[in-house]
Amino acid sequence: MTGVETLDHGTRVFTAPGATFGTDGLLLARFDIPRRQDRALDLCSGCGIVALAWHDAGHRGPCTALERDPAASALCAAAAAENGAGHIQPLCADLRDFCRLGPEQGRYDFAACNPPYFSAGPRSPDPARAAARHTDTCTLADAVEAAARALRDGGRFVLCHRPDQLTEVLCTLRGARLEPKRLVFVKNRAGDAPWLLLVQAQKGRRPGLRVEPDLLLTAGAAQYGTR
């Protein structure tokens, strides 16, 4: 059964079992937004929440929504058509193969990824849910490598991940010449441990990381960055 979620400015997002989105996807989409005419890339797009949230915020440049699961990619295509978002191009392909060769390299101004977080632990019996949560088909290194190949020099990349993976996240980014520039932790409330990190990096830029104030869900962090 297909569900519908409506974003702040009326953009409709289609979901289905195994192809939904959570607060982490919304926060990632709002943490940094491509300029209006930027060429953008939404890696691990799922139902297209990040690309569609950018559209809702005013992005109109070419946007590739890359997703491995055909059913989720089809939801993104349907939502793009429903919202008149012809600049969003859903692409059903494996992130590990994307722009490894050919003209896609260095074409993009902006990229984002909400990757699978878990390499161990309980797995869903639903293959689509398991693939979305576990790193069998997309590791952190895979996501970062894809972004690094796709971005032009100076292009921006935003990523969300688990706070306990902070060292690996920062090292992997720097190892791919994506220099971390902004870092934010997300908490439910002020006294809690963070459950999510958001990081922005730029390709080929000098070191210099700004750690920004925590985002608190009790203070409306899910609306972070809305216009």
Side-chain angles (χ1 to χ4, degrees):
M1 180 179 295
T2 301
V4 179
E5 300 285 347
T6 303
L7 301 179
D8 296 326
H9 299 109
T11 300
R12 289 157 60 86
V13 182
F14 297 151
T15 64
T20 59
F21 65 90
T23 303
D24 52 353
L26 282 173
L27 290 172
L28 177 68
R30 292 165 173 168
F31 176 54
D32 196 9
I33 297 171
R35 290 179 288 268
R36 183 175 178 83
Q37 295 302 325
D38 276 354
R39 183 179 293 275
L41 174 61
D42 176 14
L43 296 165
C44 299
S45 181
C47 65
I49 178 56
V50 171
L52 292 164
W54 290 340
H55 171 81
D56 195 64
H59 179 245
R60 294 297 182 269
C63 181
T64 302
L66 183 70
E67 171 54 43
R68 185 174 180 270
D69 178 58
S73 187
L75 288 173
C76 179
E82 169 80 11
N83 292 290
H87 63 104
I88 297 176
Q89 178 189 5
L91 178 61
C92 187
D94 194 315
L95 170 150
R96 295 170 294 185
D97 298 328
F98 182 69
C99 75
R100 188 175 296 278
L101 299 171
E104 295 295 322
Q105 289 195 5
R107 292 185 68 202
Y108 291 88
D109 304 298
F110 195 97
C113 188
N114 179 3
Y117 298 152
F118 301 102
S119 58
R123 298 177 64 90
S124 170
D126 181 338
R129 289 179 185 272
R133 291 176 54 84
H134 289 265
T135 60
D136 301 358
T137 58
C138 176
T139 65
L140 172 64
D142 292 333
V144 169
E145 181 185 354
R149 289 196 305 264
L151 287 170
R152 63 169 175 80
D153 193 54
R156 290 176 289 160
F157 177 50
V158 290
L159 175 79
C160 60
H161 217 285
R162 296 165 55 201
D164 62 1
Q165 298 299 305
L166 174 61
T167 300
E168 182 180 359
V169 167
L170 297 182
C171 290
T172 303
L173 288 168
R174 177 170 282 182
R177 295 185 60 245
L178 294 172
E179 186 62 36
K181 289 294 185 180
R182 296 173 55 206
L183 176 65
V184 170
F185 293 102
V186 181
K187 300 179 178 181
N188 289 327
R189 53 185 63 83
D192 292 351
W195 61 270
L196 186 74
L197 68 83
L198 299 163
V199 62
Q200 180 216 72
Q202 274 192 288
K203 184 175 178 179
R205 291 300 183 253
R206 294 180 179 179
L209 175 64
R210 182 172 76 246
V211 181
E212 299 180 357
D214 296 339
L215 295 180
L216 307 179
L217 291 187
T218 53
Q223 301 303 312
Y224 178 69
T226 56
R227 299 175 180 177

